[in-house]
Amino acid sequence: SNQDLFVIYMRKGLKGEDEVLLDPHPMSPDHTVSVGLRDVSKDGTLLAYQVREGGADETTIHFMDIDSRKNLADQMPKGRYFSISMMPDKSGFYYSRLEKEGPRVYYHPMGTDLSTDKEIFGEGYGPDKIIGAGVSDDGRYLLINVFHGSAGQKTEVYFQDLVKKGPIVTVVSDLDARFSPAIAGDHLFLQTNWSAPNGRGFDVDLRKPLRENWREVIPEGKAVVNGFSPVGGKLFVNYLENVRSVVKVF
């Protein structure tokens, strides 16, 4: 509370001591350089963080080996990054960045030259779009979201089977509605306002993702669906009811 800037801390176990992992205060005399948490590897040994100068949209991305507290050579140049998502085995990461032509998704194998990073997705999308890309917890799937503006009324959703090295598959791209996706196992859960102003939820089997196979699992009700999380074979759904949050389990 007595600090000018946010500091990144780490704790080993629920009751462990808080350790300072990254303190940005020494990075600039006038405390205009800040840091932000972007991703952490599944085993907790690799940290991806951003460094921002002043209030700029552009940041640089760095990777810290947590055991040695040293940065890796894989440093991303200054740019506007929408997402950074590491593979569970730390072999590489997917990232989306705004280029002059528009947002693009790339894959970077750790320890390789950045100039050889392959463009995965984004061709044809202009700078008015935002694209996010994330790897599922088990490393099986890459999930891609296209937002038509930060407050846009339309979202596109795509996925790729990384184990089978399959093509990028369209889940939805033709509906003027918002979709918030989350992957659990071989299923994709979609929160959406498609024909449902208060929101509803679908279960999409990624082995047969055509819309005719979608299954509605959260019907629209009087309360507004705020968000949801798939955990342990259940869906925890956050509703807004009479200006207060209520969580229901499906």
Side-chain angles (χ1 to χ4, degrees), residues 5-224:
L5 303 167
F6 286 99
V7 175
I8 297 176
Y9 289 85
M10 179 183 74
R11 181 185 297 179
K12 289 177 184 166
L14 192 62
K15 296 182 176 168
E17 295 288 319
D18 288 338
E19 301 174 42
V20 173
L21 208 51
L22 202 58
D23 183 357
H25 291 88
M27 293 182 180
S28 57
D30 53 357
H31 294 176
T32 53
V33 174
S34 61
V35 294
L37 189 63
R38 293 305 297 256
D39 198 15
V40 180
S41 64
K42 197 170 182 181
D43 66 0
T45 64
L46 188 59
L47 167 76
Y49 68 94
Q50 68 181 26
V51 176
R52 187 192 305 276
E53 295 178 14
D57 286 334
E58 293 74 24
T59 62
T60 53
I61 306 292
H62 306 259
F63 293 84
M64 177 193 282
D65 177 275
I66 290 174
D67 292 337
S68 68
R69 302 288 203 270
K70 290 198 168 87
N71 281 341
L72 305 186
D74 306 79
Q75 180 179 323
M76 311 297 289
K78 192 177 284 189
R80 193 171 173 194
Y81 294 90
F82 295 126
S83 61
I84 307 282
S85 185
M86 283 190 250
M87 292 293 290
D89 63 0
K90 300 178 291 189
S91 57
F93 59 90
Y94 289 87
Y95 64 97
S96 63
R97 181 174 66 203
L98 184 63
E99 310 290 6
K100 278 184 201 161
E101 305 79 23
R104 300 291 183 265
V105 177
Y106 301 92
Y107 177 68
H108 175 75
M110 295 303 280
T112 63
D113 195 312
L114 288 168
S115 62
T116 61
D117 287 359
K118 285 195 176 126
E119 184 181 311
I120 305 291
F121 183 87
E123 190 177 347
Y125 289 101
D128 58 325
K129 304 294 189 294
I130 297 169
I131 299 180
V135 181
S136 61
D137 287 344
D138 58 5
R140 175 72 192 260
Y141 295 103
L142 176 69
L143 182 60
I144 298 172
N145 289 349
V146 179
F147 303 94
H148 288 234
S150 56
Q153 291 301 309
K154 181 176 179 180
T155 318
E156 301 173 29
V157 180
Y158 304 85
F159 77 92
Q160 182 181 25
D161 187 326
L162 298 176
V163 173
K164 291 183 177 173
K165 297 182 171 59
I168 290 175
V169 178
T170 304
V171 177
V172 60
S173 64
D174 59 340
L175 296 174
D176 287 322
R178 291 191 300 272
F179 290 89
S180 298
I183 287 179
D186 290 312
H187 289 258
L188 173 72
F189 294 93
L190 291 172
Q191 175 195 335
T192 180
N193 64 348
W194 172 43
S195 299
N198 284 347
R200 56 178 171 158
F202 287 94
D203 173 4
V204 180
D205 188 334
L206 293 174
R207 292 158 296 196
K208 43 181 185 180
L210 291 178
R211 195 174 305 153
E212 64 201 44
N213 300 320
W214 292 11
R215 191 165 64 96
E216 187 180 72
V217 287
I218 305 165
E220 185 185 26
K222 290 180 180 176
V224 175

